[in-house]
Amino acid sequence: CRLETDRMSNDLAGVWEVALSDGVHRIEFEHGTTTGKRVIYVDGKEILRRDWMFKLVGKETFSVGKSETKATINIDAVSGFAYEYTLEINGKSLKKYMENRSKVTSTWILNLDGTDCRVVLEKDTMDVWCNGQNIETAGEFVDDGTETHFTLGDHNCCVKAVSSGKRRDGIIHTLIVDGAEIAECVE
C-alpha cells in the first residue's frame, strides 16, 4: 500500500495500482476513523461512499475495469486507533494476484506513431488488448506453433506462440510489430 496525499481529504488511507488486461487502474480508499466515512475511487471516479459507519473495521467489495474484476479492501485494527488496509483482487492478495497474472498474461509497452501502447495477451483465451480495447485477431497454426495476427493503426502485429522445448518454461509468446520483435515487460 503506497500512501499518497494528492486528494483534498485528510482521510486518504491507501492507494494501489492494479494492472488488468484493459489497463492499469488506480484505486484510492478514504477512511474517516472519527466519522466512520468510507470512500472508494477507481481511476479518480467515486464508486462507493458510506458515511457514519459505526463499525470501523470490515471490508468493502467493488468491481474494477471492463471485465468487472472483483476487488475487496480489508480494514483491520492493528492496535489502538491504528488500521491496516489490504487490497484483494479476485479473492487473492494483490501480490499473489499479480504473481499469478504474470503466468496467464504477457504484456508489452511500445510507442507507435507517438502513442504509447500497452498490449496485453491473455494466454488462456488468446485475447489481445491494447490500451483498454479488446482487439480483433486472426489466429493460424504454423510449423513451429501458432500466430495471432492483428493491426494497430497502420502497423501489422503478430503474437507468435512457440514451445520452449522445456516443460517448466512452457510456451514462449513473442510480439512482432512490422517485423521487429518487441521486448516483454514485467508489471
Side-chain angles (χ1 to χ4, degrees):
C1 171
R2 199 173 62 232
L3 294 181
E4 298 175 12
T5 54
D6 57 352
R7 206 174 272 293
M8 296 303 290
S9 172
N10 291 331
D11 294 333
L12 189 63
V15 178
W16 300 269
E17 290 195 344
V18 179
L20 301 176
S21 294
D22 68 345
V24 179
H25 299 279
R26 181 183 173 97
I27 297 170
E28 299 172 77
F29 179 60
E30 293 180 3
H31 188 215
T33 55
T34 53
T35 63
K37 175 182 80 170
R38 297 179 188 177
V39 184
I40 297 173
Y41 299 90
V42 175
D43 299 328
K45 182 179 173 209
E46 183 179 309
I47 60 153
L48 184 140
R49 175 179 290 269
R50 298 192 200 287
D51 290 310
W52 302 107
M53 299 278 298
F54 293 107
K55 189 174 179 189
L56 294 177
V57 295
K59 58 176 67 177
E60 293 295 346
T61 300
F62 55 100
S63 59
V64 180
K66 290 183 179 172
S67 59
E68 297 192 358
T69 301
K70 181 182 164 196
T72 302
I73 295 174
N74 296 302
I75 309 151
D76 298 301
V78 180
S79 64
F81 292 100
Y83 297 91
E84 180 179 78
Y85 307 94
T86 54
L87 178 67
E88 292 179 356
I89 304 293
N90 281 343
K92 296 183 176 95
S93 72
L94 182 58
K95 183 175 189 269
K96 278 272 185 232
Y97 175 80
M98 295 313 289
E99 285 170 1
N100 183 57
R101 185 162 172 74
S102 70
K103 295 174 189 166
V104 298
T105 63
S106 290
T107 303
W108 298 271
I109 307 286
L110 61 149
N111 189 295
L112 291 176
D113 304 323
T115 302
D116 287 331
C117 298
R118 178 177 176 270
V119 177
V120 178
L121 169 70
E122 294 180 351
K123 296 175 187 176
D124 55 347
T125 61
M126 295 304 285
D127 283 348
V128 175
W129 295 75
C130 181
N131 294 348
Q133 299 298 315
N134 194 325
I135 303 296
E136 189 173 320
T137 61
E140 69 173 316
F141 291 101
V142 293
D143 289 342
D144 56 352
T146 64
E147 293 182 355
T148 302
H149 297 272
F150 57 99
T151 57
L152 296 176
D154 296 330
H155 300 276
N156 291 318
C157 307
C158 171
V159 173
K160 287 185 72 80
V162 295
S163 172
S164 64
K166 299 176 190 146
R167 187 176 164 155
R168 189 178 183 286
D169 295 339
I171 296 172
I172 297 171
H173 296 87
T174 307
L175 175 64
I176 298 166
V177 177
D178 296 333
E181 187 174 319
I182 307 299
E184 186 174 346
C185 79
V186 178
E187 292 187 300

